[in-house]
């Protein structure tokens, strides 16, 4: 159940219940967030998870709720952050990883629910970033940055597409392929052009989308999306 994400690996290494381990993998590695809410709820309700596992399940459930518009349930978990973090030690890497992931999840979940302007969003984002830096969890930090860029686009287009494109430059070069940055740059440049941007955005879009197609697995769904976007760009 190992991943390229250090934080996920640290969390999973402290999970003993195999059922929870499978659910975490479905969420994190298969990217099927929101698909196993009843399963997580039932595991928690059984009362058989240890304290660390129970905290983990709730944190994953928080993001699930935010994506399925169960905002009250999501906020209930976020509002219990003191209880969730209680007993976790920064000196323990497994604990520190869960703390970082909690801050990460709660920040992004607030954004998904239309609460990016809530003061907790920036606070939790910065706390997650700090912990990830301390753990040298570069892949996890890249995910945090990418998700924040996605939110920024929907919340404040006034910043402009060019400004958002520059933020991708903070992603380490060695992670550009893993995180499909060429695909993201291509699609965002195309969206900027379609919203009235200059031809330079169209040219960038075509360049980045071609890079994505050249470098990615032809059977991957993002390859199909990149091909579709490129067809739109050529029109």
């Amino acid at each position: 159940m190992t991943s390229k994400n250090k934080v996920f690996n640290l969390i999973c290494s402290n999970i003993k219940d195999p059922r929870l381990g499978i659910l975490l993998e479905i969420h994190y590695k298969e990217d099927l967030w929101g698909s196993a809410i009843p399963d997580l709820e039932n595991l928690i309700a059984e009362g058989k998870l240890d304290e660390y596992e129970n905290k983990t399940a709730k944190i994953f459930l928080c993001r699930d709720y935010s994506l399925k518009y169960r905002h009250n349930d999501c906020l209930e978990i976020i509002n219990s952050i003191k209880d969730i973090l209680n007993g976790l030690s920064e000196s323990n890497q497994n604990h520190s990883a869960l703390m970082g992931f909690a801050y990460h999840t709660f920040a992004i979940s607030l954004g998904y629910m239309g609460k990016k302007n809530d003061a907790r969003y920036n606070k939790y984002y910065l706390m997650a970033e700090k912990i990830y830096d301390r753990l040298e969890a570069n892949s996890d930090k890249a995910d945090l940055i990418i998700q924040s860029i996605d939110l920024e686009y929907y919340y404040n287009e006034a910043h402009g597409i060019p400004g958002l494109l520059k933020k991708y430059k903070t992603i380490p070069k060695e992670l550009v392929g893993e995180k499909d940055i060429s695909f993201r740059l291509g699609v965002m440049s195309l969206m900027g052009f379609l919203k009235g941007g200059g031809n330079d955005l169209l040219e960038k879009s075509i360049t980045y989308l071609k890079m994505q197609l050249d470098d990615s697995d032809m059977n991957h769904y993002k390859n199909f999306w990149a091909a579709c976007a490129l067809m739109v760009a050529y029109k």
Side-chain angles (χ1 to χ4, degrees), residues 50-164:
D50 66 27
E51 186 177 2
Y52 186 93
E53 292 171 330
N54 190 64
K55 295 175 189 290
T56 301
K58 287 183 178 179
I59 293 166
F60 274 75
L61 196 53
C62 176
R63 184 172 172 184
D64 281 345
Y65 284 152
S66 72
L67 291 170
K68 294 300 182 180
Y69 304 102
R70 292 178 59 174
H71 294 180
N72 288 337
D73 292 325
C74 180
L75 285 171
E76 183 178 349
I77 294 176
I78 292 174
N79 291 337
S80 68
I81 187 170
K82 288 185 178 179
D83 292 331
I84 289 175
L85 298 183
N86 184 45
L88 296 177
S89 171
E90 292 186 6
S91 61
N92 180 307
Q93 280 206 330
N94 301 98
H95 288 193
S96 193
L98 190 59
M99 291 171 67
F101 188 66
Y103 284 124
H104 178 163
T105 300
F106 293 170
I108 299 304
S109 295
L110 285 168
Y112 289 160
M113 294 189 294
K115 297 180 179 295
K116 184 175 177 291
N117 294 325
D118 186 312
R120 291 176 294 181
Y121 174 86
N122 283 330
K123 177 182 177 181
Y124 295 165
Y125 179 94
L126 292 173
M127 289 299 296
E129 190 175 53
K130 179 180 178 182
I131 292 172
Y132 288 170
D133 283 340
R134 187 170 69 245
L135 291 172
E136 298 181 344
N138 296 328
S139 185
D140 302 276
K141 183 178 176 181
D143 288 339
L144 177 65
I145 294 170
I146 289 168
Q147 290 162 16
S148 72
I149 293 173
D150 291 344
L151 288 172
E152 186 70 21
Y153 174 79
Y154 290 107
Y155 273 85
N156 197 349
E157 290 186 46
H159 283 179
I161 296 295
L164 294 178

Side-chain angles (χ1 to χ4, degrees), residues 29-41:
K29 293 183 70 176
E30 298 182 24
D31 199 22
L32 294 175
W33 293 89
S35 66
I37 290 176
D39 299 302
L40 282 174
E41 289 176 333

